[in-house]
């Protein structure tokens, strides 16, 4: 069996995290190295490696992540806006092979991203 990713270990409560939301399908916690005043990671409990590895079977959980992003943003009062990012593969600087959505907020973002 493949080694657990660090995010799977957070899901399984083997390592600590500051958790903002949890339900049957996903967990949301604070990024350990925040790139904005609010930097959350939305992680499916099911360990899909990345978007490129997702299949139609994962449609519900992937859609769920976006709905939860909006709900958590509302809960945290992020009415000025937020940015969602998914890094897929080396050119995008993916570093943890367990699909996750970054939610960044609390400052003015710029475009294009780096
Ligand atoms: P990515 O580069 O898109 O794969 O994002 C991985 C993210 O996970 C980075 O922003 C890291 O700061 C974050 N990260 C790594 N380990 C932890 C951890 N133990 N708790 C919270 N965030 C983490």
């Amino acid at each position: 069996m493949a080694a657990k990713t660090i995010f799977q270990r957070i899901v399984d409560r083997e390592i600590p995290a500051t958790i903002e939301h949890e339900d049957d399908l996903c967990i949301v916690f604070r990024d350990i190295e925040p790139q904005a005043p609010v930097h959350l990671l939305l992680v499916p409990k099911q360990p899909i490696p990345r978007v490129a590895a997702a299949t139609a079977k994962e449609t519900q959980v992937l859609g769920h992540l976006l709905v939860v992003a909006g709900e958590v943003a509302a809960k945290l009062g992020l009415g000025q806006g937020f940015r969602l990012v998914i890094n897929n593969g080396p050119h995008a600087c993916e570093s943890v092979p367990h699909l996750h959505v970054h939610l960044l907020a609390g400052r003015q973002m710029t475009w294009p991203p780096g």
Side-chain angles (χ1 to χ4, degrees):
M1 201 169 93
K4 281 186 186 183
T5 65
I6 195 147
F7 294 166
Q8 195 65 47
R9 295 186 66 203
I10 290 173
V11 169
D12 294 343
R13 298 296 200 279
E14 291 173 6
I15 57 173
T18 304
I19 295 169
E20 294 289 351
H21 169 90
E22 183 172 18
D23 60 38
D24 288 349
L25 295 179
C26 73
I27 191 164
V28 180
F29 53 88
R30 299 261 167 186
D31 196 293
I32 205 167
E33 209 176 306
Q35 302 301 315
V38 178
H39 187 171
L40 306 178
L41 298 171
L42 296 97
V43 177
K45 289 187 170 177
Q46 179 188 348
I48 307 161
R50 63 191 54 78
V51 168
T55 69
K57 289 198 299 288
E58 280 97 39
T59 300
Q60 187 198 355
V61 67
L62 295 180
H64 182 71
L65 293 177
L66 297 188
V67 173
V68 169
E71 291 173 353
V72 172
K75 187 179 88 175
L76 297 180
L78 304 177
Q80 290 290 94
F82 55 89
R83 179 169 289 172
L84 302 178
V85 174
I86 303 177
N87 295 321
N88 185 108
H91 271 190
C93 300
E94 173 199 310
S95 62
V96 179
H98 183 145
L99 194 152
H100 49 284
V101 180
H102 296 257
L103 188 158
L104 298 143
R107 64 168 167 81
Q108 180 62 55
M109 302 289 159
T110 59
W111 194 263

